[in-house]
Amino acid sequence: PSVVPARYALGRGIVREVATNAAIPLPLPLCRVLMLDSSSPVIRQWEGARGDRNFRRGPWRFPTGVRQDGIGMCSEQGLISGGSMSGACRTVSYDRLRREVVRLTESHSV
């Protein structure tokens, strides 16, 4: 299917609804990988449809005292599949074209 690029108008709010009243009966480990892993096809499709470019993802960070054992040596996939992601957050920055290219940052929290 073709993806319609997002259209922006000066002075108008930008709202992009990802999902409403969605129910997907998938096992939790699969949902975690699809929604948290930056290389998953769901995330790639979502990022491509947004029209943003040059994504840079920070490392997953956890609250003090949670999951400190071996985090630095895990791949993203190993970290997501290896246990609870409760309280985890990461920062993602990207370029977006407005009147000019601007660098934006958002935080993803679990």
Side-chain angles (χ1 to χ4, degrees), residues 85-99:
M85 292 290 288
S86 181
C89 64
R90 88 174 337 170
T91 301
V92 178
S93 58
Y94 50 91
D95 294 336
R96 176 172 288 168
L97 181 61
R98 298 264 173 97
R99 283 193 238 177

Side-chain angles (χ1 to χ4, degrees), residues 63-87:
T64 304
V66 178
R67 288 199 67 176
Q68 299 301 318
D69 54 313
I71 286 178
M73 298 182 298
C74 281
S75 67
E76 182 180 39
Q77 291 83 5
L79 193 60
I80 292 167
S81 65
S84 174
M85 292 290 288
S86 181

